[in-house]
Amino acid sequence: HSYGLGAAFTTGGMTVGLQTLLLGDNPAVTNTPGEGEAYRLHANYAASNGMKIGGSFELLDIESEAKERKYVFVGATIPVSSQTRVLASLGHTADVAGGAADGTSLSAGVQHDIFKKTAITAAIRYFDADKAHTISVGGEDETIGVTVGLSHKFSFDVVK
């Protein structure tokens, strides 16, 4: 069995939180890397003008792996109009799967509301692997990806 516990503190537009997860040996759970423990510290700030910035740092200590996995993430949303936002993120991974997925990624994009609950997004992502590996296209250590997406927020009331 696995167990998790977390807490967050919010004041004004700022939230700070900490979570921990104790991973049991549970092969029935998809993508469980094995027994171990994980810790995540996160913080975010939402300004009254719609600007948002957040980040997290995570350690994942798997008993069968020699080193702790490390994940760092920072993301921001900056409104440029009432319907359009610029999005950016920076992430870094270290000591993941024996170093095969280590590297730094940078993403930037634009999101525009086309209806009240529907938005279109276009983004570009650059990934620089710490070493060439098989998860990149052709084993190269740098990749660039382009994404276009459509999102819709569904909502309904069960009880009024």
Side-chain angles (χ1 to χ4, degrees):
H1 291 39
S2 298
Y3 303 93
L5 179 65
F9 174 74
T10 301
T11 182
M14 182 74 171
T15 300
V16 177
L18 178 67
Q19 286 106 21
T20 184
L21 178 63
L22 303 176
L23 299 167
D25 186 17
N26 188 353
V29 177
T30 303
N31 294 326
T32 300
E35 292 185 42
E37 49 197 51
Y39 302 94
R40 178 184 296 138
L41 175 65
H42 64 90
N44 62 47
Y45 176 73
S48 59
N49 67 355
M51 184 186 81
K52 300 175 187 174
I53 187 165
S56 65
F57 175 73
E58 182 172 347
L59 287 175
L60 180 56
D61 186 10
I62 303 300
E63 290 179 10
S64 62
E65 297 178 3
K67 294 182 178 181
E68 294 176 331
R69 299 180 185 191
K70 297 164 198 75
Y71 302 88
V72 178
F73 176 81
V74 177
T77 301
I78 302 166
V80 293
S81 74
S82 63
Q83 293 180 295
T84 306
R85 295 159 297 286
V86 172
L87 315 168
S89 68
L90 176 66
H92 182 76
T93 57
D95 301 317
V96 178
D102 293 357
T104 301
S105 66
L106 176 64
S107 301
V110 175
Q111 187 174 62
H112 180 76
D113 299 330
I114 55 176
F115 299 110
K116 184 177 179 179
K117 294 182 178 184
T118 306
I120 189 166
T121 305
I124 188 165
R125 178 177 181 247
Y126 169 77
F127 178 69
D128 183 10
D130 288 350
K131 61 183 177 182
H133 52 79
T134 57
I135 65 169
S136 292
V137 177
E140 298 295 323
D141 62 352
E142 295 179 347
T143 57
I144 295 177
V146 176
T147 303
V148 176
L150 183 70
S151 62
H152 182 78
K153 297 178 184 175
F154 293 93
S155 62
F156 60 93
D157 290 328
V158 176
V159 178
K160 280 198 171 203

